[in-house]
Amino acid sequence: MVGRMTKLKITAGGQVSLPADIRRRWGTKAVYIEDLGDHAVVRPFPDDPIAAAMGLWKDRGISTDELRRQAREDEAIAEARRWGS
C-alpha cells in the first residue's frame, strides 16, 4: 500500500528501521534522506546507480564509462569529507 503513514521509533543511536514491506518493494539496501527543515524525505537509492542512470543519460551522449568515472570521483569526495581530509 503506497501513501500510508507509519510511526517509527528512533533508537538512542539515532537509527530508524524501515518496515520490511517497504524494503522489499523498493528492492534496495540504501536510501537517500533529504532534510527539508521541518520534515525529511526518504527515497530509495539504487543498488547500481550506474545502471539506473544509463537509461536516463543514453540519449544525451554521456557514456557509461563517464558515469562510472564521475561516480568514483563523487565517492572519493564523500569519503574524504567523512574522514575530514
Side-chain angles (χ1 to χ4, degrees):
M1 176 182 207
V2 178
R4 87 185 149 133
M5 267 192 197
T6 304
K7 179 182 173 185
L8 303 171
K9 289 187 176 185
I10 301 172
T11 68
Q15 297 175 333
V16 175
S17 293
L18 292 174
D21 61 325
I22 294 173
R23 293 191 315 268
R24 280 192 295 272
R25 187 173 62 246
W26 286 357
T28 187
K29 295 178 182 170
V31 294
Y32 291 108
I33 296 181
E34 182 179 3
D35 181 355
L36 297 176
D38 64 340
H39 66 282
V41 176
V42 179
R43 292 189 175 102
F45 184 85
D47 290 336
D48 185 352
I50 301 303
M54 282 175 60
L56 180 67
W57 297 103
K58 72 178 181 179
D59 295 333
R60 298 180 188 184
I62 299 174
S63 71
T64 56
D65 288 339
E66 175 61 21
L67 288 172
R68 289 180 199 283
R69 186 198 62 72
Q70 184 62 49
R72 283 192 297 273
E73 184 178 306
D74 292 346
E75 287 175 10
I77 291 168
E79 189 69 19
R81 283 186 188 144
R82 266 185 232 122
W83 296 104
S85 302

